[in-house]
Amino acid sequence: MKGSRERAASELFAALYPRLAGWCRRLVDDDGTAHEIASEAFTRLWSRWTTVAEPRGFLYVTAANLVRDHWRKLERERRAVRRATAEVVVGPPNEQADPSVRLLVQSLPERLRVPILLHYYADMPIREVAALTGRKEGTIKADLHAAREMLRAHLRRSLDRTV
């Protein structure tokens, strides 16, 4: 019985994986991410193998949900970068400053980094960040302000070096 289950899953994988991964590739425009999504969809199918009536439909719905999650994550990252750098004084458009905001955020002390990641990257309201971290809303606001100031100062120093 186990052998026939594995054989059926193997045949399904061989038949559907290339097409599913190709479909994901067109949606996310990245081979690695597409294969991760397709593989995750098959992993989720395998964990529910005996209860899924329509494996092909399950795979595509699961992959679509994973693609949607990927898009949301990318959009949260874009918004976070825009928010974190919105107040920074930027040089002329032709000037290329190269500090990576992600690396700058990672370099913040944990006390400041966690609220930045939750508020800007995960798009959580201050009230929720306060509840998750066990700190007061005013403290979270102060930490966000301090983190933005540190980022701003570092970006200014980086811009000054490029001029």
Side-chain angles (χ1 to χ4, degrees):
M1 180 128 171
K2 185 179 180 187
S4 65
R5 176 181 177 227
E6 288 178 1
R7 188 172 32 262
S10 183
E11 289 170 3
L12 183 72
F13 183 85
L16 294 180
Y17 184 84
R19 177 167 275 155
L20 181 66
W23 180 71
C24 292
R25 169 69 172 89
R26 287 187 302 277
L27 294 173
V28 299
D29 198 31
D30 177 64
D31 284 334
T33 303
H35 284 284
E36 286 176 25
I37 290 171
S39 296
E40 178 63 22
F42 270 96
T43 300
R44 291 182 185 189
L45 172 63
W46 181 251
S47 71
R48 295 169 182 80
W49 183 252
T50 58
T51 61
V52 174
E54 179 52 50
R56 184 176 183 273
F58 179 89
L59 285 169
Y60 276 86
V61 167
T62 301
N65 288 336
L66 292 168
V67 166
R68 183 198 63 223
D69 292 346
H70 172 75
W71 288 341
R72 285 179 177 166
K73 178 184 172 209
L74 289 177
E75 183 54 32
R76 282 192 305 268
E77 288 176 354
R78 284 186 204 111
R79 281 194 310 253
V81 168
R82 283 193 305 265
R83 285 180 188 156
T85 60
E87 296 175 0
V88 175
V89 177
V90 181
N94 296 341
E95 225 174 76
Q96 290 287 324
D98 193 33
S100 167
V101 173
R102 185 176 297 197
L103 290 174
L104 293 176
V105 169
Q106 288 175 354
S107 72
L108 290 170
E110 185 175 352
R111 175 182 68 81
L112 302 177
R113 184 177 60 247
V114 170
I116 285 283
L117 292 174
L118 293 174
H119 184 65
Y120 292 116
Y121 282 76
D123 207 25
M124 291 183 184
I126 289 173
R127 173 182 16 84
E128 194 171 340
V129 174
L132 286 172
T133 59
R135 295 173 10 212
K136 295 179 180 179
E137 286 184 37
T139 303
I140 296 301
K141 289 177 184 177
D143 288 347
L144 289 170
H145 175 75
R148 285 191 306 267
E149 289 300 316
M150 288 179 77
L151 293 171
R152 184 178 295 117
H154 189 76
L155 287 169
R156 280 192 184 126
R157 282 193 302 275
S158 295
L159 286 172
D160 289 344
R161 278 186 239 131
T162 62
V163 174

